[in-house]
Amino acid sequence: MTKALRSTLVLTRDGFRPAAVVVDGERITQVIEWSDAPADADLHDFGDLAILPGLIDTHVHMNEPGRTEWEGFATATRAAAAGGVTTLIDMPLNCVPETIDAPALEAKRQAAKGQAWVDWAAWGGVVRGNTDAIEPLAKAGVPGFKCFLIHSGIDGFTWVGEADLRLALEQLRGTDLPLLAHAEVTGPVDVATRALNAASADWRKYSTYLASRPDAAEVQAIELLIRLADEFGVPIHIVHLSSAQALPILTEARRRGLPVSVETCVHYLWFAAEEIPGGATEFKCAPPIREAANREALWNALERGLIDMVTTDHSPCPPAMKRREEGRWDLAWGGIVSLGLALPLMGTAMRRRGIGLERIGEWMAAEPARLAGLTGQKGAIEDGADADLAIFDLDAEWTVMPADLHFRHKTSPYLGAKLRGRVRQTWLRGEPIYRDGQFIGEARGKEQVRW
Ligand SMILES: [Zn+2]
């Protein structure tokens, strides 16, 4: 039976408007006037709750297979579903085997069977010496590749220098698949760390950690990536931009029409270095959260479209690895957990700043869909797209408690955050999968294979 979901606030590519979304099977067939909902349809009237496109998070570490005690398909995808996120793209490094060749991708597909509550895909990895695995991974359907320009934290996922990048970009030329890069180079980090250690800096202070990952590491990495995007014409995507000092060179690259896109993460837009307590290693991530003035510059770049999208970089570990008792930033595992909170966090922050919530559709759905090659199928409420939808109560006020978090380990720096706006329901391909704290049905998530 045809369904119609309607509200006075449906987010389309043209902004919010009263509308009815007509769904036949798994797809949206029409977006029509609110009052035109077909009489014979199964009508779901959401009143003044917003209907948003299901969000797409292109930067998530699910850690399965191999480190399921860190996270896993089941817990990560349930956390996503509870937050209105209907597609996750997994990073290739924290699983065993790392997703650096086609057999490893196949192992991931086996691990995902019957576990995924939302749709997903897996980025392939570019590491030292895997040039020959790039084409088979592309043919096996990955939407693109991820690399590190600095130690990734995982010894089995080696970082690459310019020579390796050139080999990889040669393979990617003409495929239309993007290369995603962790944009910090090791030189400035090594120099800063040596100087801090020589001065016996206190590693329980956040300022020590921040000083160990200077802006220059990001700026130099991005300079290199821009140069290579220009030379090879391959789309290069800067993941988790933290340093506003890189914005001028990115502005110039855009002006020249180079194929460079940029994401930042919710934590760089929400927190500021000045507010992070000593020893609070749940805030550790790389690149680091910088000062409030830097955060303001990132918001500004996002508003003017220089930063294309916002992801979570949800990157969990077992709580013991955060070494909270010692509180040493140099010893703790890096990675912030937040999957499922991005929409209310961004909604709350945007309201405070007077930014229209319609930009959520661009920053957290349409642009990530473009990066993952899913435009037309996902990322917007429009004819022919998958009926992936988030029903969002704009005015619900709540405080983040452990029971609200559905990922495996609840060591999140967002605990206690006071938020405005809450996901009431999430629909995946035409059926509800989450409603007011309850998961509905079974894990129906499908891999999105790119050809
Ligand atoms: Zn990451």
Side-chain angles (χ1 to χ4, degrees):
M1 187 184 189
T2 301
K3 299 184 182 94
L5 288 74
R6 78 175 175 189
S7 104
T8 58
L9 287 168
V10 175
L11 182 55
T12 67
R13 286 193 190 267
D14 305 320
F16 283 106
R17 65 177 175 101
V21 181
V22 181
V23 174
D24 202 352
E26 298 197 335
R27 297 258 169 95
I28 296 168
T29 52
Q30 271 185 302
V31 183
I32 55 179
E33 294 302 317
W34 185 92
S35 52
D36 291 346
D40 57 346
D42 173 16
L43 180 67
H44 299 258
D45 193 330
F46 292 108
D48 297 330
L49 302 180
I51 302 181
L52 309 181
L55 305 182
I56 300 173
D57 193 341
T58 54
H59 196 149
V60 175
H61 298 263
M62 289 201 273
N63 298 276
E64 189 167 3
R67 286 196 182 84
T68 311
E69 71 278 16
W70 293 27
E71 189 61 275
F73 274 98
T75 45
T77 56
R78 283 163 73 98
V85 181
T86 48
T87 307
L88 296 179
I89 320 285
D90 183 45
M91 283 297 171
L93 60 149
N94 305 86
C95 43
V96 186
E98 297 83 5
T99 320
I100 54 176
D101 55 28
L105 178 64
E106 187 51 37
K108 186 172 287 290
R109 286 173 172 161
Q110 293 301 322
K113 275 199 176 140
Q115 304 283 323
W117 281 76
V118 302
D119 287 348
W120 66 279
W123 299 115
V126 164
V127 296
R128 225 172 298 148
N130 83 327
T131 311
D132 292 344
I134 292 176
E135 191 186 341
L137 270 169
K139 285 189 169 152
V142 298
F145 291 82
K146 164 82 179 289
C147 68
F148 277 73
L149 274 60
I150 194 168
H151 194 280
S152 71
I154 301 281
D155 291 335
F157 197 94
T158 49
W159 55 279
V160 292
E162 181 169 347
D164 313 286
L165 283 169
R166 288 177 167 280
L167 293 171
L169 290 167
E170 202 63 64
Q171 294 285 315
L172 290 175
R173 213 197 302 247
T175 63
D176 217 26
L177 300 181
L179 179 67
L180 285 65
H182 178 122
E184 285 179 293
V185 290
T186 199
V189 174
D190 293 346
V191 168
T193 304
R194 272 199 299 273
L196 289 162
N197 285 333
S200 303
D202 181 355
W203 281 101
R204 283 165 303 181
K205 286 189 178 163
Y206 184 70
S207 57
T208 303
Y209 177 61
L210 180 57
S212 77
R213 314 278 308 203
D215 294 82
E218 283 191 78
V219 173
Q220 289 177 24
I222 292 168
E223 280 170 350
L224 168 62
L225 293 164
I226 289 172
R227 186 156 53 78
L228 293 171
D230 186 13
E231 184 179 334
F232 285 85
V234 170
I236 292 185
H237 178 74
I238 312 296
V239 300
H240 55 42
L241 178 75
S242 152
S243 173
Q245 288 186 23
L247 295 171
I249 54 172
L250 288 165
T251 304
E252 176 61 13
R254 283 297 177 81
R255 196 192 57 75
R256 294 172 56 207
L258 301 182
V260 176
S261 58
V262 187
E263 80 187 33
T264 192
C265 301
V266 181
H267 41 261
Y268 301 126
L269 298 168
W270 184 267
F271 297 117
E274 295 89 332
E275 303 156 3
I276 299 178
T281 53
E282 63 273 22
F283 290 85
K284 181 176 176 182
C285 59
I289 295 163
R290 303 185 190 276
E291 296 85 350
N294 182 86
R295 175 180 64 189
E296 297 312 303
L298 292 178
W299 273 106
N300 180 274
L302 189 60
E303 277 196 81
R304 61 194 162 90
L306 177 59
I307 297 175
D308 305 273
M309 66 188 85
V310 178
T311 64
T312 62
D313 191 10
H314 173 77
S315 186
C317 69
M321 291 180 69
K322 282 292 185 187
R323 306 174 73 144
R324 194 64 168 81
E325 291 72 35
E326 295 156 276
R328 293 241 334 231
W329 293 88
D330 53 338
L331 302 179
W333 180 261
I336 285 180
V337 288
S338 63
L339 196 51
L341 298 174
L343 175 54
L345 284 164
M346 286 296 291
T348 303
M350 289 165 75
R351 277 202 189 200
R352 278 187 205 144
R353 288 163 189 276
I355 302 170
L357 291 188
E358 69 278 356
R359 299 207 67 184
I360 291 276
E362 170 194 345
W363 296 339
M364 299 173 74
E367 281 298 314
R370 187 195 49 71
L371 179 67
L374 294 168
T375 302
Q377 191 190 340
K378 294 190 179 290
I381 296 178
E382 60 191 3
D383 300 2
D386 286 352
D388 296 345
L389 303 163
I391 312 301
F392 191 53
D393 180 347
L394 296 167
D395 293 317
E397 297 192 13
W398 60 295
T399 302
V400 179
M401 305 297 279
D404 301 312
L405 304 176
H406 298 278
F407 42 80
R408 190 178 296 284
H409 302 294
K410 322 295 181 197
T411 46
S412 176
Y414 295 106
L415 283 171
K418 293 192 185 336
L419 302 183
R420 184 150 174 219
R422 189 154 203 182
V423 174
R424 293 296 181 205
Q425 296 189 22
T426 304
W427 289 50
L428 179 71
R429 286 181 278 103
E431 300 282 347
I433 54 173
Y434 172 84
R435 187 186 298 130
D436 291 324
Q438 304 295 321
F439 296 92
I440 301 166
E442 54 193 29
R444 289 194 296 114
K446 279 203 283 209
E447 187 191 0
Q448 304 298 297
V449 178
R450 178 150 176 184
W451 299 102

PDB file of all heavy atoms in Angstrom, residues 47-74:
ATOM      1  N   GLY A  47       2.146  16.258  11.960  1.00  0.00           N
ATOM      2  CA  GLY A  47       1.826  17.584  12.499  1.00  0.00           C
ATOM      3  C   GLY A  47       2.925  18.579  12.196  1.00  0.00           C
ATOM      4  O   GLY A  47       3.292  18.795  11.044  1.00  0.00           O
ATOM      5  N   ASP A  48       3.480  19.189  13.288  1.00  0.00           N
ATOM      6  CA  ASP A  48       4.545  20.186  13.122  1.00  0.00           C
ATOM      7  C   ASP A  48       5.937  19.621  13.368  1.00  0.00           C
ATOM      8  O   ASP A  48       6.908  20.385  13.466  1.00  0.00           O
ATOM      9  CB  ASP A  48       4.302  21.368  14.079  1.00  0.00           C
ATOM     10  CG  ASP A  48       3.001  22.084  13.753  1.00  0.00           C
ATOM     11  OD1 ASP A  48       2.605  22.083  12.572  1.00  0.00           O
ATOM     12  OD2 ASP A  48       2.376  22.634  14.685  1.00  0.00           O
ATOM     13  N   LEU A  49       6.059  18.303  13.491  1.00  0.00           N
ATOM     14  CA  LEU A  49       7.402  17.717  13.576  1.00  0.00           C
ATOM     15  C   LEU A  49       8.046  17.825  12.194  1.00  0.00           C
ATOM     16  O   LEU A  49       7.377  17.671  11.173  1.00  0.00           O
ATOM     17  CB  LEU A  49       7.340  16.242  13.993  1.00  0.00           C
ATOM     18  CG  LEU A  49       6.666  15.916  15.327  1.00  0.00           C
ATOM     19  CD1 LEU A  49       6.696  14.398  15.577  1.00  0.00           C
ATOM     20  CD2 LEU A  49       7.338  16.655  16.472  1.00  0.00           C
ATOM     21  N   ALA A  50       9.351  18.077  12.157  1.00  0.00           N
ATOM     22  CA  ALA A  50      10.029  18.205  10.861  1.00  0.00           C
ATOM     23  C   ALA A  50      10.285  16.823  10.266  1.00  0.00           C
ATOM     24  O   ALA A  50      10.565  15.863  10.986  1.00  0.00           O
ATOM     25  CB  ALA A  50      11.345  18.947  11.038  1.00  0.00           C
ATOM     26  N   ILE A  51      10.144  16.730   8.951  1.00  0.00           N
ATOM     27  CA  ILE A  51      10.562  15.518   8.231  1.00  0.00           C
ATOM     28  C   ILE A  51      11.823  15.888   7.451  1.00  0.00           C
ATOM     29  O   ILE A  51      11.792  16.733   6.550  1.00  0.00           O
ATOM     30  CB  ILE A  51       9.471  15.011   7.261  1.00  0.00           C
ATOM     31  CG1 ILE A  51       8.166  14.723   8.029  1.00  0.00           C
ATOM     32  CG2 ILE A  51       9.958  13.749   6.534  1.00  0.00           C
ATOM     33  CD1 ILE A  51       7.023  14.193   7.149  1.00  0.00           C
ATOM     34  N   LEU A  52      12.926  15.260   7.845  1.00  0.00           N
ATOM     35  CA  LEU A  52      14.223  15.539   7.213  1.00  0.00           C
ATOM     36  C   LEU A  52      14.650  14.326   6.394  1.00  0.00           C
ATOM     37  O   LEU A  52      14.241  13.202   6.681  1.00  0.00           O
ATOM     38  CB  LEU A  52      15.304  15.782   8.273  1.00  0.00           C
ATOM     39  CG  LEU A  52      15.040  16.787   9.390  1.00  0.00           C
ATOM     40  CD1 LEU A  52      16.264  16.881  10.302  1.00  0.00           C
ATOM     41  CD2 LEU A  52      14.730  18.160   8.827  1.00  0.00           C
ATOM     42  N   PRO A  53      15.507  14.550   5.390  1.00  0.00           N
ATOM     43  CA  PRO A  53      16.098  13.377   4.734  1.00  0.00           C
ATOM     44  C   PRO A  53      16.929  12.598   5.746  1.00  0.00           C
ATOM     45  O   PRO A  53      17.558  13.194   6.622  1.00  0.00           O
ATOM     46  CB  PRO A  53      16.994  13.984   3.646  1.00  0.00           C
ATOM     47  CG  PRO A  53      17.223  15.406   4.035  1.00  0.00           C
ATOM     48  CD  PRO A  53      16.054  15.821   4.875  1.00  0.00           C
ATOM     49  N   GLY A  54      16.918  11.279   5.679  1.00  0.00           N
ATOM     50  CA  GLY A  54      17.799  10.476   6.528  1.00  0.00           C
ATOM     51  C   GLY A  54      19.226  10.970   6.353  1.00  0.00           C
ATOM     52  O   GLY A  54      19.666  11.222   5.236  1.00  0.00           O
ATOM     53  N   LEU A  55      19.937  11.145   7.468  1.00  0.00           N
ATOM     54  CA  LEU A  55      21.278  11.720   7.381  1.00  0.00           C
ATOM     55  C   LEU A  55      22.289  10.674   6.918  1.00  0.00           C
ATOM     56  O   LEU A  55      22.072   9.469   7.074  1.00  0.00           O
ATOM     57  CB  LEU A  55      21.698  12.290   8.735  1.00  0.00           C
ATOM     58  CG  LEU A  55      20.743  13.312   9.342  1.00  0.00           C
ATOM     59  CD1 LEU A  55      21.306  13.832  10.661  1.00  0.00           C
ATOM     60  CD2 LEU A  55      20.475  14.478   8.390  1.00  0.00           C
ATOM     61  N   ILE A  56      23.380  11.165   6.352  1.00  0.00           N
ATOM     62  CA  ILE A  56      24.452  10.291   5.876  1.00  0.00           C
ATOM     63  C   ILE A  56      25.725  10.714   6.591  1.00  0.00           C
ATOM     64  O   ILE A  56      26.104  11.886   6.538  1.00  0.00           O
ATOM     65  CB  ILE A  56      24.616  10.422   4.343  1.00  0.00           C
ATOM     66  CG1 ILE A  56      23.307  10.011   3.666  1.00  0.00           C
ATOM     67  CG2 ILE A  56      25.797   9.587   3.854  1.00  0.00           C
ATOM     68  CD1 ILE A  56      23.285  10.242   2.181  1.00  0.00           C
ATOM     69  N   ASP A  57      26.353   9.784   7.275  1.00  0.00           N
ATOM     70  CA  ASP A  57      27.603  10.071   7.978  1.00  0.00           C
ATOM     71  C   ASP A  57      28.712   9.301   7.283  1.00  0.00           C
ATOM     72  O   ASP A  57      28.787   8.076   7.366  1.00  0.00           O
ATOM     73  CB  ASP A  57      27.484   9.671   9.450  1.00  0.00           C
ATOM     74  CG  ASP A  57      28.618  10.228  10.303  1.00  0.00           C
ATOM     75  OD1 ASP A  57      29.660  10.606   9.728  1.00  0.00           O
ATOM     76  OD2 ASP A  57      28.451  10.279  11.537  1.00  0.00           O
ATOM     77  N   THR A  58      29.551  10.040   6.569  1.00  0.00           N
ATOM     78  CA  THR A  58      30.599   9.409   5.757  1.00  0.00           C
ATOM     79  C   THR A  58      31.881   9.158   6.545  1.00  0.00           C
ATOM     80  O   THR A  58      32.874   8.725   5.971  1.00  0.00           O
ATOM     81  CB  THR A  58      30.936  10.299   4.536  1.00  0.00           C
ATOM     82  OG1 THR A  58      31.260  11.613   5.003  1.00  0.00           O
ATOM     83  CG2 THR A  58      29.782  10.370   3.574  1.00  0.00           C
ATOM     84  N   HIS A  59      31.850   9.427   7.848  1.00  0.00           N
ATOM     85  CA  HIS A  59      33.087   9.258   8.635  1.00  0.00           C
ATOM     86  C   HIS A  59      32.785   8.578   9.967  1.00  0.00           C
ATOM     87  O   HIS A  59      32.568   9.238  10.990  1.00  0.00           O
ATOM     88  CB  HIS A  59      33.748  10.616   8.856  1.00  0.00           C
ATOM     89  CG  HIS A  59      35.171  10.490   9.313  1.00  0.00           C
ATOM     90  ND1 HIS A  59      36.141  11.406   9.014  1.00  0.00           N
ATOM     91  CD2 HIS A  59      35.804   9.527  10.041  1.00  0.00           C
ATOM     92  CE1 HIS A  59      37.297  11.036   9.537  1.00  0.00           C
ATOM     93  NE2 HIS A  59      37.113   9.885  10.177  1.00  0.00           N
ATOM     94  N   VAL A  60      32.766   7.247   9.929  1.00  0.00           N
ATOM     95  CA  VAL A  60      32.454   6.448  11.124  1.00  0.00           C
ATOM     96  C   VAL A  60      33.419   5.274  11.182  1.00  0.00           C
ATOM     97  O   VAL A  60      33.744   4.673  10.156  1.00  0.00           O
ATOM     98  CB  VAL A  60      30.992   5.942  11.048  1.00  0.00           C
ATOM     99  CG1 VAL A  60      30.686   5.012  12.203  1.00  0.00           C
ATOM    100  CG2 VAL A  60      30.030   7.112  11.034  1.00  0.00           C
ATOM    101  N   HIS A  61      33.867   4.957  12.385  1.00  0.00           N
ATOM    102  CA  HIS A  61      34.738   3.788  12.582  1.00  0.00           C
ATOM    103  C   HIS A  61      33.913   2.704  13.273  1.00  0.00           C
ATOM    104  O   HIS A  61      33.611   2.811  14.453  1.00  0.00           O
ATOM    105  CB  HIS A  61      35.945   4.166  13.443  1.00  0.00           C
ATOM    106  CG  HIS A  61      36.814   5.222  12.828  1.00  0.00           C
ATOM    107  ND1 HIS A  61      37.948   4.916  12.115  1.00  0.00           N
ATOM    108  CD2 HIS A  61      36.696   6.577  12.778  1.00  0.00           C
ATOM    109  CE1 HIS A  61      38.518   6.048  11.680  1.00  0.00           C
ATOM    110  NE2 HIS A  61      37.770   7.070  12.073  1.00  0.00           N
ATOM    111  N   MET A  62      33.544   1.672  12.519  1.00  0.00           N
ATOM    112  CA  MET A  62      32.681   0.627  13.100  1.00  0.00           C
ATOM    113  C   MET A  62      33.475  -0.538  13.675  1.00  0.00           C
ATOM    114  O   MET A  62      32.937  -1.346  14.406  1.00  0.00           O
ATOM    115  CB  MET A  62      31.666   0.162  12.067  1.00  0.00           C
ATOM    116  CG  MET A  62      30.596   1.238  11.806  1.00  0.00           C
ATOM    117  SD  MET A  62      29.080   0.617  11.090  1.00  0.00           S
ATOM    118  CE  MET A  62      29.450   0.674   9.351  1.00  0.00           C
ATOM    119  N   ASN A  63      34.749  -0.662  13.279  1.00  0.00           N
ATOM    120  CA  ASN A  63      35.671  -1.602  13.943  1.00  0.00           C
ATOM    121  C   ASN A  63      35.371  -3.087  13.762  1.00  0.00           C
ATOM    122  O   ASN A  63      35.943  -3.916  14.470  1.00  0.00           O
ATOM    123  CB  ASN A  63      35.739  -1.316  15.450  1.00  0.00           C
ATOM    124  CG  ASN A  63      36.274   0.062  15.760  1.00  0.00           C
ATOM    125  OD1 ASN A  63      37.477   0.262  15.813  1.00  0.00           O
ATOM    126  ND2 ASN A  63      35.402   1.030  15.920  1.00  0.00           N
ATOM    127  N   GLU A  64      34.476  -3.428  12.855  1.00  0.00           N
ATOM    128  CA  GLU A  64      34.142  -4.838  12.658  1.00  0.00           C
ATOM    129  C   GLU A  64      34.434  -5.234  11.205  1.00  0.00           C
ATOM    130  O   GLU A  64      34.133  -4.436  10.320  1.00  0.00           O
ATOM    131  CB  GLU A  64      32.662  -5.091  12.983  1.00  0.00           C
ATOM    132  CG  GLU A  64      32.327  -6.573  13.009  1.00  0.00           C
ATOM    133  CD  GLU A  64      30.970  -6.885  13.616  1.00  0.00           C
ATOM    134  OE1 GLU A  64      30.231  -5.945  13.991  1.00  0.00           O
ATOM    135  OE2 GLU A  64      30.643  -8.066  13.692  1.00  0.00           O
ATOM    136  N   PRO A  65      35.007  -6.389  10.951  1.00  0.00           N
ATOM    137  CA  PRO A  65      35.361  -7.448  11.915  1.00  0.00           C
ATOM    138  C   PRO A  65      36.660  -7.137  12.660  1.00  0.00           C
ATOM    139  O   PRO A  65      37.420  -6.262  12.258  1.00  0.00           O
ATOM    140  CB  PRO A  65      35.568  -8.668  11.005  1.00  0.00           C
ATOM    141  CG  PRO A  65      36.041  -8.084   9.703  1.00  0.00           C
ATOM    142  CD  PRO A  65      35.304  -6.777   9.560  1.00  0.00           C
ATOM    143  N   GLY A  66      36.882  -7.869  13.730  1.00  0.00           N
ATOM    144  CA  GLY A  66      38.192  -7.866  14.379  1.00  0.00           C
ATOM    145  C   GLY A  66      38.289  -7.082  15.663  1.00  0.00           C
ATOM    146  O   GLY A  66      39.057  -7.432  16.545  1.00  0.00           O
ATOM    147  N   ARG A  67      37.544  -5.963  15.770  1.00  0.00           N
ATOM    148  CA  ARG A  67      37.565  -5.210  17.024  1.00  0.00           C
ATOM    149  C   ARG A  67      36.134  -4.910  17.470  1.00  0.00           C
ATOM    150  O   ARG A  67      35.811  -3.791  17.854  1.00  0.00           O
ATOM    151  CB  ARG A  67      38.357  -3.911  16.881  1.00  0.00           C
ATOM    152  CG  ARG A  67      39.859  -4.105  16.828  1.00  0.00           C
ATOM    153  CD  ARG A  67      40.637  -2.804  17.066  1.00  0.00           C
ATOM    154  NE  ARG A  67      42.075  -3.031  16.951  1.00  0.00           N
ATOM    155  CZ  ARG A  67      42.747  -3.029  15.793  1.00  0.00           C
ATOM    156  NH1 ARG A  67      42.105  -2.811  14.664  1.00  0.00           N
ATOM    157  NH2 ARG A  67      44.042  -3.248  15.777  1.00  0.00           N
ATOM    158  N   THR A  68      35.316  -5.951  17.427  1.00  0.00           N
ATOM    159  CA  THR A  68      33.901  -5.749  17.750  1.00  0.00           C
ATOM    160  C   THR A  68      33.713  -5.364  19.216  1.00  0.00           C
ATOM    161  O   THR A  68      32.701  -4.768  19.577  1.00  0.00           O
ATOM    162  CB  THR A  68      33.103  -7.016  17.390  1.00  0.00           C
ATOM    163  OG1 THR A  68      33.468  -7.392  16.064  1.00  0.00           O
ATOM    164  CG2 THR A  68      31.607  -6.771  17.435  1.00  0.00           C
ATOM    165  N   GLU A  69      34.731  -5.647  20.039  1.00  0.00           N
ATOM    166  CA  GLU A  69      34.623  -5.208  21.445  1.00  0.00           C
ATOM    167  C   GLU A  69      34.808  -3.682  21.559  1.00  0.00           C
ATOM    168  O   GLU A  69      34.520  -3.100  22.591  1.00  0.00           O
ATOM    169  CB  GLU A  69      35.598  -5.985  22.341  1.00  0.00           C
ATOM    170  CG  GLU A  69      37.070  -5.641  22.171  1.00  0.00           C
ATOM    171  CD  GLU A  69      37.736  -6.361  20.985  1.00  0.00           C
ATOM    172  OE1 GLU A  69      37.023  -6.892  20.113  1.00  0.00           O
ATOM    173  OE2 GLU A  69      38.990  -6.371  20.920  1.00  0.00           O
ATOM    174  N   TRP A  70      35.272  -3.045  20.470  1.00  0.00           N
ATOM    175  CA  TRP A  70      35.373  -1.580  20.452  1.00  0.00           C
ATOM    176  C   TRP A  70      34.044  -0.967  20.018  1.00  0.00           C
ATOM    177  O   TRP A  70      33.656   0.082  20.479  1.00  0.00           O
ATOM    178  CB  TRP A  70      36.461  -1.103  19.490  1.00  0.00           C
ATOM    179  CG  TRP A  70      37.862  -1.446  19.878  1.00  0.00           C
ATOM    180  CD1 TRP A  70      38.282  -2.509  20.638  1.00  0.00           C
ATOM    181  CD2 TRP A  70      39.044  -0.722  19.522  1.00  0.00           C
ATOM    182  NE1 TRP A  70      39.642  -2.475  20.762  1.00  0.00           N
ATOM    183  CE2 TRP A  70      40.146  -1.401  20.086  1.00  0.00           C
ATOM    184  CE3 TRP A  70      39.273   0.433  18.757  1.00  0.00           C
ATOM    185  CZ2 TRP A  70      41.453  -0.952  19.927  1.00  0.00           C
ATOM    186  CZ3 TRP A  70      40.579   0.870  18.584  1.00  0.00           C
ATOM    187  CH2 TRP A  70      41.661   0.188  19.172  1.00  0.00           C
ATOM    188  N   GLU A  71      33.392  -1.591  19.017  1.00  0.00           N
ATOM    189  CA  GLU A  71      32.093  -1.096  18.518  1.00  0.00           C
ATOM    190  C   GLU A  71      31.410  -2.233  17.778  1.00  0.00           C
ATOM    191  O   GLU A  71      31.098  -3.246  18.394  1.00  0.00           O
ATOM    192  CB  GLU A  71      32.289   0.141  17.629  1.00  0.00           C
ATOM    193  CG  GLU A  71      30.995   0.857  17.229  1.00  0.00           C
ATOM    194  CD  GLU A  71      30.218   1.386  18.424  1.00  0.00           C
ATOM    195  OE1 GLU A  71      29.434   0.620  19.015  1.00  0.00           O
ATOM    196  OE2 GLU A  71      30.367   2.581  18.757  1.00  0.00           O
ATOM    197  N   GLY A  72      31.184  -2.137  16.499  1.00  0.00           N
ATOM    198  CA  GLY A  72      30.545  -3.211  15.734  1.00  0.00           C
ATOM    199  C   GLY A  72      29.365  -2.704  14.930  1.00  0.00           C
ATOM    200  O   GLY A  72      28.825  -1.632  15.208  1.00  0.00           O
ATOM    201  N   PHE A  73      29.001  -3.485  13.914  1.00  0.00           N
ATOM    202  CA  PHE A  73      27.879  -3.093  13.049  1.00  0.00           C
ATOM    203  C   PHE A  73      26.589  -2.922  13.841  1.00  0.00           C
ATOM    204  O   PHE A  73      25.848  -1.961  13.642  1.00  0.00           O
ATOM    205  CB  PHE A  73      27.673  -4.138  11.950  1.00  0.00           C
ATOM    206  CG  PHE A  73      28.524  -3.906  10.744  1.00  0.00           C
ATOM    207  CD1 PHE A  73      29.713  -4.599  10.569  1.00  0.00           C
ATOM    208  CD2 PHE A  73      28.148  -2.986   9.779  1.00  0.00           C
ATOM    209  CE1 PHE A  73      30.511  -4.380   9.458  1.00  0.00           C
ATOM    210  CE2 PHE A  73      28.937  -2.757   8.657  1.00  0.00           C
ATOM    211  CZ  PHE A  73      30.122  -3.461   8.496  1.00  0.00           C
ATOM    212  N   ALA A  74      26.286  -3.870  14.716  1.00  0.00           N
ATOM    213  CA  ALA A  74      24.985  -3.840  15.408  1.00  0.00           C
ATOM    214  C   ALA A  74      24.853  -2.584  16.269  1.00  0.00           C
ATOM    215  O   ALA A  74      23.866  -1.845  16.174  1.00  0.00           O
ATOM    216  CB  ALA A  74      24.816  -5.099  16.254  1.00  0.00           C
TER     217      ALA A  74
END
